[in-house]
Amino acid sequence: TPAISVVSALEGLDVWTTAAHRFIVPLAVAVLVGLFAVQSRGTGKIGALFGPVMLVWFAAIAAAGLWGIVRHPQILAALSPSYAAAFIVHNGARSLLIFGAVVLCVTGAEALYADLAHFGRRAITYAWYAGVFPALVLNYFGQGANALAQPKSVLGSPFFGLVPHQLIIPMVLLATVATVIASQALISGVFSLTYQAIQLGYSPRFRLVHTSRHYAGQIYMPTVNALLGVVCIVLVLTFRSSNALGGAYGLAVTITMLTTTIAYSQLLRKAWKRPAWQCVPLIALFLCWDIPFLIGNASKFISGGWVPFVMALWLFTLFTTWNRGRRRLMEGLNEQTMPVEQFLREVKEPTVVSGTAVFLSPEPRGIPFVLQHQWLRGHIIFDTIVLLTIMHSSRPFVSSEKRLEIEDLAPRLLRVKAWYGYMQEPGIRDILANLRKQRPGVDLAQPTYYLASPKIGDDRSKHGLWRWQRNLFRWMARNARPLTDSLGLPPNSVVEFGVEVKI
């Protein structure tokens, strides 16, 4: 979206003067560099700064469209569906190709929903019905009216063809700012989706920055932002025009539409338990549009549609490799756990020291490998031992009242489960604050944290990862943000024990 939006906005310069054509790509790259550079300032600040500009933008495109309709009101006949029906009947199966040509007219609404976690449903609903939808309809009808009056204008830029020549430069500037803001919404959505993938176990941890004190969903990920910026700039330098990018963008959006419909059908059936007579008609209505759009855009695969396909395959490979590798890693660590009763029998007259030790355990069962280490078992047992496991809920948020589950395993041994939703970031300060409320007698002034540092070995059995997957997982694990940083553990209070795990 950022690549095609910025390029299409700047292509208005080509309508103003053909001499500007060679400057479009360099300007687009400069705009994208600036766009990704300001992401660290946060969605809220950018929205407050550019929000009024969007109102001006939609007012401008609505006025341009209305002017086209007034000059050529015969376009209003297009409100009748008979023309579309006649076109399909006359052209038969070939009419599906028109869906590939007009798909960009129905894209862009996803930019509104990409920021659902940041602004909420009510604001997005009001924005759509009160501003975005009416402005788009008026502008598209205006473009259609202009095309009927001047058919050759369709070959150029029908949007900028509505604008008087002396106003093209101001409109280009306004369009560029508007596309930057819309693109920023999609970039914020990528941060949210990436964070959810991390919490659900499909992506390594990245550095996370909260950009708002009031909204937990407003976040910034420097690494993701840099990668996304590089990809967008490469797309612009490779395709060099919105027409060339249209094939890649159209196929990506139509496949996303179809995927969303399929996912929604599963949500209706499995999560909301709706009967089939309610689900089937609604899903069929969506498919009546999704499938023709997909067929119409399938012919663009060779001319650029392969790009989002390759990107999706790459991301799918990374996600599944990380998920499978993490599961095998957890299984390997779990194999080295010990039943609580056996551990208590084996600990013979240890030296008890004051203070609290927190052992991070991937599974809320048994005694983790770290606590079983020979030196710890034979020499020191802390006054209080906490076995801490971070639990991830399938819900977006878990209230602080339901954050901790505490189980007394032995007189100085506690098991603590800390529950977090997939839109929440676990933090040791939050966990300790809740633990103090429930167990005020536990000394949590300066706890020591123990965790395992797995060394990945080769599992030659049929259950192990493929060799390329294992190497890819090793690379991802080396570059992932350490758990100590993610939880905010103080470096001087952390002790790590190496353990070999074959995956």
Side-chain angles (χ1 to χ4, degrees):
T1 296
I4 192 172
S5 298
V6 172
V7 171
S8 62
L10 291 171
E11 283 176 342
L13 294 174
D14 211 6
V15 178
W16 183 62
T17 173
T18 55
H21 180 77
R22 60 195 177 103
F23 297 106
I24 292 175
V25 171
L27 285 173
V29 172
V31 170
L32 287 173
V33 170
L35 167 63
F36 286 97
V38 301
Q39 290 305 309
S40 60
R41 298 186 178 274
T43 300
K45 294 180 180 178
I46 295 175
L49 179 64
F50 291 119
V53 177
M54 296 305 293
L55 294 177
V56 176
W57 162 250
F58 285 112
I61 66 173
L66 188 60
W67 173 241
I69 295 172
V70 170
R71 288 186 299 168
H72 308 286
Q74 64 268 32
I75 187 62
L76 295 177
L79 289 170
S80 171
S82 61
Y83 293 98
F87 179 87
I88 294 174
V89 171
H90 178 73
N91 292 280
R94 291 181 301 172
S95 61
L96 288 174
L97 296 176
I98 199 67
F99 284 91
V102 303
V103 64
L104 299 186
C105 294
V106 297
T107 62
E110 67 275 5
L112 283 167
Y113 302 100
D115 262 344
L116 184 62
H118 302 96
F119 296 112
R121 175 182 174 182
R122 179 175 297 180
I124 290 174
T125 302
Y126 289 163
W128 174 253
Y129 286 112
V132 179
F133 183 63
L136 289 175
V137 170
L138 287 173
N139 191 264
Y140 284 143
F141 269 74
Q143 291 184 46
N146 196 42
L148 289 177
Q150 306 174 48
K152 291 185 178 180
S153 67
V154 179
L155 300 177
S157 176
F159 173 78
F160 286 102
L162 282 173
V163 183
H165 188 269
Q166 61 270 26
L167 294 179
I168 287 180
I169 293 299
M171 183 60 83
V172 168
L173 294 175
L174 184 59
T176 302
V177 175
T179 55
V180 163
I181 299 168
S183 299
Q184 188 275 332
L186 269 296
I187 296 169
S188 300
V190 171
F191 297 153
S192 297
L193 288 173
T194 304
Y195 183 68
Q196 292 174 28
I198 293 171
Q199 297 298 76
L200 294 172
Y202 284 97
S203 172
R205 290 179 296 272
F206 293 99
R207 179 168 170 256
L208 179 70
V209 178
H210 287 275
T211 59
S212 173
R213 296 183 178 181
H214 307 289
Y215 300 99
Q218 294 188 14
I219 59 177
Y220 166 68
M221 293 183 170
T223 304
V224 176
N225 185 65
L227 290 173
L228 198 61
V230 169
V231 171
C232 287
I233 291 172
V234 169
L235 285 174
V236 171
L237 294 175
T238 303
F239 287 93
R240 306 188 70 83
S241 73
S242 61
N243 285 335
L245 273 167
Y249 184 72
L251 191 60
V253 172
T254 51
I255 293 178
T256 301
M257 291 164 61
L258 180 61
T259 305
T260 304
T261 299
I262 295 172
Y264 184 56
S265 69
Q266 297 302 302
L267 181 68
L268 287 173
R269 189 171 62 91
K270 294 183 177 181
W272 295 344
K273 308 294 184 182
R274 297 294 176 86
W277 65 269
Q278 290 183 357
C279 302
V280 172
L282 183 60
I283 299 303
L285 177 63
F286 292 150
L287 292 177
C288 285
W289 298 103
D290 295 342
I291 293 176
F293 273 124
L294 180 60
I295 295 173
N297 283 272
S299 60
K300 300 179 180 179
F301 184 85
I302 301 299
S303 61
W306 59 271
V307 173
F309 181 82
V310 170
M311 288 183 178
L313 184 62
W314 174 62
L315 286 173
F316 180 81
T317 301
L318 292 178
F319 284 177
T320 53
T321 297
W322 182 259
N323 185 261
R324 188 183 178 200
R326 287 289 298 171
R327 283 192 285 110
R328 289 289 299 131
L329 190 64
M330 292 303 102
E331 290 170 3
L333 290 174
N334 291 340
E335 290 172 0
Q336 303 189 42
T337 60
M338 177 186 293
V340 177
E341 296 78 9
Q342 180 182 347
F343 174 77
L344 295 176
R345 288 196 304 268
E346 292 185 4
V347 176
K348 303 293 184 180
E349 299 181 357
T351 301
V352 179
V353 297
S354 60
T356 299
V358 178
F359 291 82
L360 274 70
S361 173
E363 283 290 330
R365 291 185 294 270
I367 300 297
F369 159 81
V370 182
L371 186 52
Q372 299 175 43
H373 195 277
Q374 188 63 38
W375 186 83
L376 284 172
R377 284 198 296 165
H379 296 79
I380 294 177
I381 289 295
F382 282 82
D383 185 53
T384 302
I385 296 176
V386 177
L387 304 182
L388 175 62
T389 303
I390 306 298
M391 307 293 290
H392 296 290
S393 173
S394 59
R395 294 175 295 174
F397 297 98
V398 174
S399 64
S400 58
E401 292 79 12
K402 299 180 180 179
R403 176 76 71 235
L404 300 185
E405 292 182 16
I406 302 176
E407 179 184 1
D408 292 288
L409 301 178
R412 288 189 303 272
L413 185 60
L414 302 176
R415 186 184 304 283
V416 176
K417 301 177 188 177
W419 286 91
Y420 286 88
Y422 59 78
M423 286 293 291
Q424 295 174 301
E425 183 180 16
I428 195 64
R429 290 185 178 181
D430 176 61
I431 294 172
L432 293 181
N434 282 278
L435 186 56
R436 288 190 185 96
K437 293 179 181 178
Q438 297 189 36
R439 295 298 173 93
V442 177
D443 180 13
L444 297 174
Q446 290 183 327
T448 303
Y449 303 93
Y450 294 85
L451 62 151
S453 178
K455 309 301 178 184
I456 300 171
D458 297 347
D459 185 356
R460 305 292 184 180
S461 69
K462 63 179 181 179
H463 301 293
L465 270 65
W466 295 314
R467 184 175 180 180
W468 68 267
Q469 262 192 329
R470 190 182 303 112
N471 291 332
L472 178 59
F473 180 76
R474 283 197 185 107
W475 176 79
M476 295 173 73
R478 283 197 303 269
N479 290 277
R481 186 188 183 194
L483 179 62
T484 52
D485 292 351
S486 178
L487 289 177
L489 303 180
N492 295 334
S493 302
V494 175
V495 179
E496 296 187 38
F497 290 93
V499 54
E500 183 181 17
V501 180
K502 295 183 178 182
I503 65 171

